[in-house]
Amino acid sequence: SQCHQRAADRLLELCKANQGIYIKLGQHIAALVYLLPSEYTETMRPLQDKCPPTPLEDIEGLFSSDLGRSLDDLFSEFDPEPLGVASLAQVHRATMKNGQEVAVKIQHPYLDEYTPVDIATVVLIVKLIKKVFPEFEFGWLAEEMQQSLPQELDFVHEAENANKVRSLFHGSAFLKIPEVYWADRRVLIMEFVAGGKIDDLDYYKRHNIDPRQVSSELSKIYSEMMFVNGFVHCDPHPGNVFVRPRSRPFLSYILILRSFVPNPTNFEIVLLDHGLYRQLTPTFRLDYAHLWAAILAGDENGIFDYSYRLFTSSEESRHRTGGIAQARSQREFQVIRQKASTGRFFFAIADILAKLPRELLLLLKTHDLLRSVDSALEVSHGDSIDHMLRSVAIMGWYCALAIKQESIREMVQSR
């Protein structure tokens, strides 16, 4: 509607003017494609990769104050033009004195001064809106920012996350995590890895990379994170996930030998920006795996049981009205569509989200970001049934693997 568009335009200007965490907030809004009106998500989308850069002289000042060194002391070459600019930092290409080519991630210096005030302001605004409009249930977004932003602003923490996920995927031929050479609170020096954004179809065509294979491998990586490892990268938007070409192994062209090749494809996936992870508890991870296994199997009892385990902290009355597997009439689908376009439906969904565990909210957001990548790659278009079956098979396999591993562990402990 025109009202939504006017409000979204004003919110975009506010985010651009205040920068910092306001741009981060706008990026969160842009990612809520399945929850917010399209006027908001589409208007906020430019904030995902078009942020104002920090001038070179401010970068020099940060190196001097934080490291006691100048750029010339550390690098033989430093490209003043950033490779990318995000809400919290920007990345420059540089060459170390030993000739090593690196990517240098530098936090915007002004964040130290303004972030605590900005976070408090956003929380206050959300509380005031909630007081005036009781049906507003997006306080969880401000709470999540309070928890995650301090972690994202500490690059030492990011380096630890990168090293941990690299060790968890040690031996993976499909996933590349750049090496970290130096980590300070506001400066991160990493291995430089060239590639294209994971949603850049022109890049795929130039390098003869199959988007369907990329989508499948990305699904496998994130399914392993969620269901097996319990350590999840929660910000897989296109600016943080690259694909880069590699030479396809000769043996992969021989059909009977292809299964013996670790990576028979001509690409690998590069995962960047390790500031936002969520460590799932073993109980939550296994309940989540059981829930998805029940959904994929159409097991209503399992769906209800594991939904309550995930969504509630105590045993509640489990009143069930109607079977979820029952066929819906055309009339029922029409009613659902009509309800979905109303504000009442929107606020009902917001109310549900406000009551969900934060871990589950981040996982749902991650699923949505992965779906948006699939949409950009156009793999969910055309033969959508084939894509859906492939995605279901991948998720089901990792759910089963997680459940099997836990069963084996319990058997060993019981002996």
Side-chain angles (χ1 to χ4, degrees), residues 362-374:
L362 271 180
L363 292 185
L364 292 175
K365 174 197 167 190
T366 303
H367 281 300
D368 279 348
L369 287 170
L370 293 172
R371 275 195 291 268
S372 69
V373 169
D374 273 357

Side-chain angles (χ1 to χ4, degrees), residues 190-230:
M190 305 164 285
E191 173 187 6
F192 177 80
V193 179
K197 287 186 177 181
I198 199 158
D199 64 346
D200 187 349
L201 285 175
D202 290 335
Y203 186 86
Y204 285 54
K205 291 173 184 176
R206 290 198 303 271
H207 295 280
N208 196 30
I209 296 173
D210 186 351
R212 291 172 301 177
Q213 288 185 326
V214 174
S215 173
S216 293
E217 294 306 325
L218 187 64
S219 295
K220 291 176 185 177
I221 289 168
Y222 272 86
S223 291
E224 184 171 343
M225 285 183 179
M226 292 178 185
F227 302 118
V228 179
N229 297 332

